[in-house]
Short mmCIF file of all heavy atoms in Angstrom, two decimals:
data_model
loop_
_atom_site.label_atom_id
_atom_site.label_comp_id
_atom_site.label_asym_id
_atom_site.label_seq_id
_atom_site.Cartn_x
_atom_site.Cartn_y
_atom_site.Cartn_z
N HIS A 207 -2.87 -6.81 14.72
CA HIS A 207 -2.97 -5.78 15.75
C HIS A 207 -1.56 -5.33 16.15
O HIS A 207 -0.63 -6.13 16.24
CB HIS A 207 -3.72 -6.35 16.98
CG HIS A 207 -4.17 -5.29 17.97
ND1 HIS A 207 -3.27 -4.73 18.83
CD2 HIS A 207 -5.39 -4.80 18.16
CE1 HIS A 207 -3.92 -3.84 19.59
NE2 HIS A 207 -5.23 -3.87 19.22
N VAL A 208 -1.41 -4.08 16.48
CA VAL A 208 -0.05 -3.56 16.83
C VAL A 208 0.48 -4.29 18.06
O VAL A 208 1.72 -4.53 18.13
CB VAL A 208 -0.12 -2.05 17.08
CG1 VAL A 208 -0.94 -1.69 18.28
CG2 VAL A 208 1.33 -1.54 17.20
N GLU A 209 -0.31 -4.74 18.98
CA GLU A 209 0.15 -5.45 20.16
C GLU A 209 0.71 -6.82 19.75
O GLU A 209 1.61 -7.36 20.43
CB GLU A 209 -0.85 -5.53 21.22
CG GLU A 209 -1.26 -4.23 21.86
CD GLU A 209 -0.08 -3.50 22.47
OE1 GLU A 209 0.79 -4.17 23.05
OE2 GLU A 209 -0.07 -2.23 22.40
N ALA A 210 0.15 -7.41 18.73
CA ALA A 210 0.66 -8.72 18.27
C ALA A 210 2.09 -8.56 17.69
O ALA A 210 2.91 -9.46 17.96
CB ALA A 210 -0.29 -9.33 17.25
N VAL A 211 2.30 -7.52 16.90
CA VAL A 211 3.67 -7.37 16.33
C VAL A 211 4.66 -6.93 17.44
O VAL A 211 5.78 -7.34 17.36
CB VAL A 211 3.65 -6.39 15.14
CG1 VAL A 211 2.81 -6.95 13.99
CG2 VAL A 211 3.23 -5.02 15.45
N LYS A 212 4.22 -6.22 18.46
CA LYS A 212 5.04 -5.90 19.53
C LYS A 212 5.45 -7.21 20.22
O LYS A 212 6.64 -7.41 20.60
CB LYS A 212 4.39 -4.98 20.50
CG LYS A 212 4.22 -3.53 20.01
CD LYS A 212 3.51 -2.70 21.03
CE LYS A 212 3.42 -1.26 20.56
NZ LYS A 212 2.72 -0.38 21.55
N MET A 213 4.52 -8.13 20.39
CA MET A 213 4.86 -9.37 21.02
C MET A 213 5.86 -10.14 20.20
O MET A 213 6.80 -10.71 20.75
CB MET A 213 3.56 -10.20 21.20
CG MET A 213 3.77 -11.58 21.73
SD MET A 213 2.15 -12.52 21.88
CE MET A 213 2.79 -14.19 22.15
N LEU A 214 5.68 -10.16 18.88
CA LEU A 214 6.66 -10.86 18.05
C LEU A 214 8.05 -10.25 18.16
O LEU A 214 9.04 -10.99 18.14
CB LEU A 214 6.19 -10.84 16.55
CG LEU A 214 4.92 -11.71 16.26
CD1 LEU A 214 4.50 -11.46 14.82
CD2 LEU A 214 5.21 -13.18 16.51
N LEU A 215 8.09 -8.93 18.20
CA LEU A 215 9.36 -8.26 18.32
C LEU A 215 10.10 -8.49 19.66
O LEU A 215 11.31 -8.61 19.75
CB LEU A 215 9.22 -6.72 18.14
CG LEU A 215 8.88 -6.28 16.71
CD1 LEU A 215 8.61 -4.75 16.76
CD2 LEU A 215 9.99 -6.58 15.75
N GLU A 216 9.24 -8.65 20.73
CA GLU A 216 9.79 -8.79 22.08
C GLU A 216 10.09 -10.26 22.45
O GLU A 216 11.03 -10.58 23.20
CB GLU A 216 8.83 -8.18 23.08
CG GLU A 216 8.74 -6.70 22.99
CD GLU A 216 7.56 -6.14 23.81
OE1 GLU A 216 6.84 -6.97 24.45
OE2 GLU A 216 7.28 -4.91 23.72
N GLU A 217 9.32 -11.20 21.88
CA GLU A 217 9.35 -12.57 22.34
C GLU A 217 9.79 -13.62 21.34
O GLU A 217 9.93 -14.78 21.67
CB GLU A 217 7.99 -12.97 22.94
CG GLU A 217 7.53 -12.03 24.12
CD GLU A 217 6.23 -12.43 24.67
OE1 GLU A 217 5.81 -13.60 24.50
OE2 GLU A 217 5.56 -11.57 25.36
N ALA A 218 9.92 -13.25 20.07
CA ALA A 218 10.24 -14.17 19.04
C ALA A 218 11.22 -13.54 18.08
O ALA A 218 11.27 -12.36 17.90
CB ALA A 218 9.00 -14.64 18.31
N GLU A 219 12.13 -14.39 17.51
CA GLU A 219 13.05 -13.90 16.48
C GLU A 219 12.49 -14.11 15.11
O GLU A 219 12.77 -15.08 14.43
CB GLU A 219 14.41 -14.64 16.65
CG GLU A 219 15.08 -14.30 18.00
CD GLU A 219 16.42 -15.01 18.20
OE1 GLU A 219 16.76 -15.87 17.34
OE2 GLU A 219 17.09 -14.76 19.19
N VAL A 220 11.64 -13.20 14.71
CA VAL A 220 10.83 -13.32 13.49
C VAL A 220 11.38 -12.41 12.42
O VAL A 220 11.67 -11.24 12.71
CB VAL A 220 9.35 -13.04 13.78
CG1 VAL A 220 8.52 -13.03 12.53
CG2 VAL A 220 8.78 -14.09 14.77
N ALA A 221 11.49 -12.90 11.21
CA ALA A 221 11.97 -12.10 10.08
C ALA A 221 10.90 -11.25 9.42
O ALA A 221 11.17 -10.14 8.99
CB ALA A 221 12.65 -12.97 9.05
N GLY A 222 9.72 -11.82 9.31
CA GLY A 222 8.72 -11.11 8.56
C GLY A 222 7.31 -11.53 9.03
O GLY A 222 7.13 -12.51 9.73
N ILE A 223 6.33 -10.72 8.66
CA ILE A 223 4.88 -11.12 8.78
C ILE A 223 4.24 -11.03 7.47
O ILE A 223 4.75 -10.38 6.52
CB ILE A 223 4.15 -10.24 9.84
CG1 ILE A 223 4.24 -8.76 9.41
CG2 ILE A 223 4.77 -10.41 11.25
CD1 ILE A 223 3.39 -7.87 10.32
N GLY A 224 3.08 -11.69 7.30
CA GLY A 224 2.37 -11.62 6.04
C GLY A 224 0.87 -11.70 6.24
O GLY A 224 0.41 -12.19 7.28
#
Side-chain angles (χ1 to χ4, degrees):
H207 194 284
V208 65
E209 294 302 325
V211 296
K212 287 179 180 178
M213 176 180 167
L214 291 175
L215 290 174
E216 293 168 2
E217 302 181 20
E219 295 180 353
V220 173
I223 59 174

